[in-house]
């Protein structure tokens, strides 16, 4: 048996052709479906970036081009970044988001621990209340909250911007589900060793729940960074304006500078994308882990 | 070192009564095992001693002082858990140092990240580290100090758990089935190490297990629990050869003790069709249970006679387990349907010339009345007059 020149076995094919040979119809369909999904998710961003480089009349143009016919990118981005106190808006957004997140974590982690691991009278009712509260949207409570803040003359303060979100029932529920999987015997061992309950939370529960905490932090930060509704209600001056709210400045009753609005939207979105990129792994781990254990 | 005293401990969970009045005294330096089938309440009792649960009724005292209101920390007990319960993201050294850090450093100095901000506590921290190293060397885990629990084998984790319990010199050493997650060979080895630990430290040990072999081989005294009650408390030999009730006799020993029905007659009792005279005071005509350990049973005519009348029963062989040095013979007693008789026969028994491998299917087994224990139909032990005085007070309540 020497070489067989007329038989071209699969193994002898060029690697690329070999790879193609393994593609099946099913795989192709899956790729098409995934590609369509990805396009639906990504296209608005492409549109946003593209429009941010166009003058307003071209944004309205019927035939859409990704690259603008008349480039207005410099004016738009200059307008956003330098013709208004943009660093101040970014700082306001950051202060509000971090403030909300800090208070949410400080309240929700102990609450989640208590609901997951402590036995006390009424804990089941409390948990039911927490779950019920998940269904109440901010719009329901916004008028009483607003009136209360007016009475206390706290409008246009950081506190007013953070206050409705400081206790997150979603976070309490998420952490409760996550903490439930923590072994009881380790908590008992800690009690025997002399840990106080709060030290159990700080030294044992929190380090084990870092993926969940990271995931929630991204959720919370993005949600409040993008929030337009509440800042629109309580912010009155430019000094307290958040980045998202600042986009509203290019709108008036007579004219809206869409090119510049899109430039602002792009600038505001970039920090969030960076946050997500850096926290991506623990974010996904946090979500999938709670999913399994819940 | 401490004495432990439990007074009338009762505990219910959601209307199910787990502990139905436990009274028990443990002497200083004693090794006592709480043994019982799963669900008998032994772990709950241990958790009550530790202060992790609170009894509905009754009181726990350590060294004569009631500790019912005291936290687990204030009781100064150490506990080893079945799944080791190590702190997962801390190193072995940190795990072992935790009880000392919690006991000696104030709150402000022991929170994470406070090490640099509280330099005043540096000498104390060094002392704790030295102490951890000393204990780690004793347990031969000093080369593992920088590892995380996930990087350790089961036996190593078990040692770390023991080390964490040992570092702080506890009053009481509590163990909740610490060997059940180890493989058989390691279990025997660690069992020996725990016994040595008890001898070296002289501490009071309370050891919970469902394994009667562990309880019998390790402890000075065994407390047998069943359905929330203490059936008997005594030395391993007491429970084995002088059980207070049929339940105790049945729980202790493997293979299980043989139980035969018998009837009381004047001056003795009748089993099968044989009359055996005994000195006990028996209620005439009442049903009795006769219990005999498998090692007390022998092939008729083959064993040494003690000059007394032997109880001999005709049986049919149903099975044989060859354990190497000995054979467990399973038989059904003829004329007593549903009654089995097990015999543990030594292959190298002195002076016995018997081919154990070729026993006939039908044979006669016999045992001496001296090796029998008599029980009433209720399961309570019937003792001869002299024997009764030796029984413990706890055993009287537990019958029934």
């Amino acid at each position: 048996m020497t070489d067989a020149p007329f038989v071209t076995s699969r193994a002898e094919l060029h690697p690329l052709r070999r790879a193609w040979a393994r593609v099946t119809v099913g795989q192709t369909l899956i790729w098409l479906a995934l590609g369509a999904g990805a396009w639906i998710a990504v296209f608005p961003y492409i549109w946003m970036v593209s429009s941010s480089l166009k003058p307003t009349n071209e944004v309205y143009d019927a035939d859409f081009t990704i690259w603008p016919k008349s480039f207005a990118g410099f004016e738009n981005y200059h307008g956003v970044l330098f013709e208004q106190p943009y660093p101040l808006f970014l700082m306001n957004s950051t202060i509000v988001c971090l403030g909300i997140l800090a208070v949410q974590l400080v309240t929700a982690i102990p609450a989640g621990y208590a609901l997951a691991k402590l036995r006390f009278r009424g804990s089941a009712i409390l948990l039911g209340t927490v779950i019920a509260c998940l269904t109440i949207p901010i719009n329901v409570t916004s008028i009483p909250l607003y009136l209360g803040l007016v009475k206390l003359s706290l409008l246009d303060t950081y506190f007013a911007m953070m206050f409705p979100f400081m206790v997150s029932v979603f976070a309490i529920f998420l952490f409760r589900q996550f903490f439930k999987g923590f072994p009881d015997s380790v908590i008992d061992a800690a009690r025997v060793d002399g840990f106080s309950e709060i030290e159990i939370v700080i030294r044992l529960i929190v380090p084990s729940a870092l993926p969940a905490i990271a995931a929630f932090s991204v959720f919370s930060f993005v949600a409040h960074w993008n929030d337009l509704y509440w800042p629109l209600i309580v912010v009155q001056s430019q000094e307290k304006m958040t980045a998202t709210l600042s986009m509203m400045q290019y709108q008036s009753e007579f004219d809206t500078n869409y090119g510049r609005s899109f430039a602002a939207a792009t600038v505001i979105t970039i920090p969030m994308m960076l946050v997500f990129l850096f926290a991506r792994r623990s974010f996904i781990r946090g979500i999938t882990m709670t999913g399994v254990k819940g | 070192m401490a004495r432990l005293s439990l007074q009338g401990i009762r505990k219910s969970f959601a209307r199910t009564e787990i502990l139905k009045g436990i009274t028990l005294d443990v002497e200083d330096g004693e090794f006592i095992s709480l043994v019982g089938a799963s669900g008998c309440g032994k772990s709950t009792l241990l958790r009550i001693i530790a202060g992790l649960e609170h009894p509905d009724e009754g009181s726990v005292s350590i060294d004569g002082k009631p500790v019912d209101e005291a936290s687990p920390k204030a009781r100064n007990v150490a506990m080893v858990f079945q799944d080791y319960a190590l702190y997962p993201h801390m190193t072995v050294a940190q795990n072992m140092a935790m009880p000392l850090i919690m006991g000696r450093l104030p709150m402000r100095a022991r929170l994470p990240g406070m090490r640099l901000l509280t330099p005043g506590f540096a000498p104390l921290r060094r002392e704790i580290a030295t102490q951890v190293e000393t204990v780690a060397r004793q347990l031969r885990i000093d080369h593992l100090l920088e590892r995380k629990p996930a990087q350790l084998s089961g036996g190593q984790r078990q040692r770390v758990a023991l080390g964490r319990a040992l570092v702080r010199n506890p009053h009481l050493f509590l163990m909740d089935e610490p060997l059940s997650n180890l493989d058989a060979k390691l279990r025997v080895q660690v069992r020996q190490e725990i016994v040595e630990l008890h001898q070296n430290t002289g501490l009071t040990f309370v050891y919970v297990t469902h394994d009667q072999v562990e309880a019998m081989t390790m402890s000075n005294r065994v407390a047998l629990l069943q359905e929330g009650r203490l059936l008997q408390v005594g030395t391993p030999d007491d429970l084995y050869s002088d059980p207070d009730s049929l339940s105790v006799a049945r729980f202790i020993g493997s293979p299980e003790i043989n139980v035969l029905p018998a009837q009381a007659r004047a001056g003795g009792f009748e089993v099968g069709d044989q009359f055996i005279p005994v000195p006990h005071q028996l209620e005439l005509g009442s049903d009795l249970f006769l219990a005999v350990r498998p090692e007390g049973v022998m092939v008729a005519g083959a064993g040494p006679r003690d000059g007394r009348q032997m109880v001999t029963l005709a049986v049919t062989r149903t099975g044989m387990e060859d354990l190497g040095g000995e054979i467990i013979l399973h038989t059904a007693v003829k004329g007593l349907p549903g009654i089995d008789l097990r015999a543990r026969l030594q292959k190298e028994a002195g002076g016995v010339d018997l081919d154990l491998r070729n026993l006939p299917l039908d044979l006669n087994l016999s045992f001496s009345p001296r090796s029998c224990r008599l029980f009433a139909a209720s399961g309570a032990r019937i003792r001869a007059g002299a024997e009764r005085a030796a029984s413990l007070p706890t055993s009287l309540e537990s019958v029934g």
Side-chain angles (χ1 to χ4, degrees):
Chain A
M1 206 199 91
T2 54
D3 50 340
F6 306 112
V7 182
T8 320
S9 80
R10 275 211 135 154
E12 287 170 50
L13 287 175
H14 186 271
L16 249 180
R17 284 186 64 193
R18 209 167 21 170
W20 270 113
R22 268 189 259 124
V23 175
T24 63
V25 179
Q27 268 179 324
T28 321
L29 287 177
I30 289 171
W31 286 342
L32 284 177
L34 288 176
W39 180 246
I40 290 170
V42 172
F43 182 68
Y45 288 92
I46 297 175
W47 194 353
M48 176 180 77
V49 176
S50 157
S51 300
S52 72
L53 305 172
K54 296 170 179 174
T56 297
N57 56 357
E58 208 193 311
V59 174
Y60 278 121
D61 218 343
D63 54 338
F64 172 80
T65 53
I66 285 186
W67 193 251
K69 284 172 225 159
S70 52
F71 187 79
F74 289 121
E75 296 106 273
N76 288 344
Y77 282 94
H78 188 269
V80 170
L81 293 173
F82 302 109
E83 287 173 19
Q84 55 170 354
Y86 186 71
L88 177 69
F89 300 153
L90 271 186
M91 189 187 77
N92 287 342
S93 276
T94 312
I95 289 174
V96 170
C97 287
L98 287 181
I100 289 172
L101 179 62
V103 183
Q104 278 177 336
L105 291 179
V106 167
T107 51
I109 290 175
Y113 170 72
L115 286 173
K117 291 296 182 191
L118 302 183
R119 278 180 303 172
F120 55 95
R121 214 174 277 268
S123 64
I125 295 168
L126 265 180
L127 180 65
T129 315
V130 167
I131 294 168
C133 287
L134 283 170
T135 62
I136 302 173
I138 171 82
N139 314 54
V140 173
T141 51
S142 55
I143 292 173
L145 276 171
Y146 178 78
L147 294 177
L149 290 167
V150 171
K151 281 260 159 54
L152 296 168
S153 30
L154 283 169
L155 282 187
D156 207 33
T157 58
Y158 287 132
F159 178 80
M161 294 155 82
M162 298 181 207
F163 180 65
F165 311 107
M166 283 179 168
V167 175
S168 163
V169 275
F170 171 69
I172 293 174
F173 183 67
L174 180 89
F175 291 142
R176 186 255 179 197
Q177 294 304 91
F178 203 89
F179 297 164
K180 261 211 117 37
F182 195 82
D184 287 323
S185 61
V186 176
I187 294 176
D188 282 340
R191 288 186 185 136
V192 171
D193 283 351
F195 286 61
S196 60
E197 292 300 312
I198 200 72
E199 280 173 304
I200 290 176
V201 172
I202 296 172
R203 304 194 79 133
L204 299 177
I205 303 283
V206 167
S208 78
L210 282 179
I213 293 170
F216 172 74
S217 301
V218 174
F219 265 133
S220 163
F221 205 87
V222 171
H224 296 111
W225 185 275
N226 291 339
D227 185 28
L228 188 62
Y229 178 80
W230 189 249
L232 198 56
I233 293 175
V234 293
V235 174
Q236 293 167 329
S237 66
Q238 240 209 355
E239 283 75 59
K240 291 293 187 299
M241 203 173 263
T242 62
T244 315
L245 190 58
S246 74
M247 284 168 57
M248 300 292 287
Q249 292 185 110
Y250 313 111
Q251 259 178 18
S252 71
E253 282 176 48
F254 314 105
D255 172 44
T256 300
N257 189 339
Y258 276 111
R260 195 176 281 191
S261 292
F262 277 117
T266 309
V267 171
I268 292 159
T269 311
I270 285 169
M272 286 306 94
M273 297 190 61
L274 291 178
V275 167
F276 183 77
L277 280 179
F278 282 114
R280 188 171 50 113
R281 263 173 80 181
S282 43
F283 183 70
I284 291 168
R285 201 147 63 97
I287 293 173
T288 48
M289 277 167 76
T290 40
V292 171
K293 283 181 182 166
Chain B
M1 292 218 235
R3 275 176 297 122
L4 169 71
S5 168
L6 305 175
Q7 280 297 327
I9 303 283
R10 286 176 178 275
K11 178 75 182 172
S12 304
F13 288 112
R15 296 209 193 104
T16 314
E17 202 170 26
I18 302 292
L19 295 173
K20 300 167 184 169
I22 302 284
T23 298
L24 179 69
D25 285 297
V26 183
E27 291 306 314
D28 188 7
E30 198 173 13
F31 191 133
I32 191 163
S33 289
L34 305 176
V35 64
S38 51
C40 70
K42 55 193 190 298
S43 287
T44 307
L45 189 58
L46 194 74
R47 291 169 57 81
I48 287 175
I49 297 171
L52 293 167
E53 300 280 357
H54 293 279
D56 300 337
E57 275 176 49
S59 133
V60 180
S61 313
I62 295 176
D63 269 341
K65 287 186 285 285
V67 291
D68 300 290
E69 302 304 318
S71 66
K73 182 186 182 182
R75 294 182 190 200
N76 192 19
V77 296
M79 190 155 168
V80 177
F81 294 80
Q82 181 176 354
D83 60 358
Y84 320 129
L86 300 177
Y87 308 130
H89 51 274
M90 296 186 193
T91 64
V92 168
Q94 286 168 327
N95 261 285
M96 288 175 62
M98 265 314 137
L100 296 177
I101 289 173
M102 291 295 153
R104 295 205 198 149
L105 293 180
M107 186 72 137
R108 68 194 152 91
R110 70 197 196 205
L111 283 175
M114 293 304 282
R115 179 182 286 266
L116 292 176
L117 297 179
T118 52
F121 291 98
L124 196 49
R125 287 179 197 282
R126 270 198 298 279
E127 198 185 307
I128 288 173
T130 322
Q131 220 163 324
V132 166
E133 273 171 44
T134 314
V135 174
R137 253 197 304 280
Q138 279 170 19
L139 291 164
R140 298 188 302 281
I141 48 172
D142 44 332
H143 58 295
L144 305 172
L145 283 175
E146 292 314 312
R147 294 218 198 145
K148 294 263 173 86
Q151 298 166 295
L152 303 177
S153 70
Q156 289 169 335
R157 280 182 216 183
Q158 182 60 70
R159 287 218 179 82
V160 176
L162 286 173
R164 186 176 65 181
L166 270 176
V167 275
R168 61 161 151 184
N169 235 334
H171 283 144
L172 283 176
F173 208 104
L174 310 177
M175 293 196 243
D176 190 0
E177 310 218 8
L179 304 184
S180 53
N181 282 3
L182 299 177
D183 61 59
K185 200 174 167 190
L186 203 54
R187 203 177 301 166
V188 176
Q189 187 191 334
V190 179
R191 198 200 284 170
Q192 192 51 44
E193 285 176 10
I194 291 177
V195 172
E196 280 165 21
L197 200 64
H198 174 245
Q199 283 161 357
N200 294 342
T201 57
L203 293 170
T204 311
F205 276 44
V206 183
Y207 187 97
V208 162
T209 179
H210 65 271
D211 182 350
Q212 44 132 336
V213 179
E214 269 174 30
M216 301 286 283
T217 51
M218 295 170 79
S219 30
N220 308 131
R221 274 203 300 159
V222 178
L224 180 57
L225 273 111
Q226 193 178 57
E227 286 167 4
R229 289 198 170 86
L230 272 181
L231 289 189
Q232 190 172 355
V233 184
T235 62
D237 188 55
D238 279 345
L239 267 71
Y240 191 81
S241 30
D242 191 18
D244 282 340
S245 66
L246 201 53
S247 307
V248 176
R250 282 203 155 120
F251 189 88
I252 304 288
S254 174
E256 205 184 298
I257 197 165
N258 296 298
V259 181
L260 302 166
Q263 277 78 40
R265 298 282 181 255
F269 62 85
E270 202 173 76
V271 57
D273 49 2
Q274 292 174 64
F275 176 81
I276 309 292
V278 284
H280 300 60
Q281 297 287 320
L282 298 174
E283 197 184 321
L284 282 186
S286 62
D287 287 325
L288 303 172
F289 287 112
L290 182 68
V292 58
R293 296 274 171 204
E295 57 269 26
V297 182
M298 56 201 104
V299 177
R305 290 179 168 275
D306 60 357
R308 284 199 185 198
Q309 182 191 355
M310 301 287 278
V311 181
T312 305
L313 295 168
V315 299
T316 310
R317 179 155 60 86
T318 55
M320 251 172 51
E321 290 173 63
D322 194 336
L323 302 181
E326 59 190 22
I327 282 179
I328 312 291
L329 187 64
H330 296 262
T331 67
V333 182
K334 286 181 187 167
L336 292 172
I339 301 298
D340 296 331
L341 194 61
R342 288 165 296 273
R344 179 195 291 240
L345 304 171
Q346 300 296 324
K347 279 185 183 169
E348 305 288 334
V352 181
D353 187 19
L354 190 67
D355 188 1
L356 286 176
R357 279 181 205 78
N358 296 314
L359 284 174
L361 210 56
D362 293 298
L363 67 162
N364 289 333
L365 292 181
S366 69
F367 51 88
S368 158
R370 272 181 121 171
S371 58
C372 293
R373 302 288 175 265
L374 270 181
F375 298 89
S378 65
R381 175 80 185 276
I382 302 172
R383 295 172 200 270
E387 279 180 302
R388 190 169 284 278
S391 71
L392 295 159
T394 44
S395 62
L396 294 172
E397 309 169 356
S398 63
V399 170

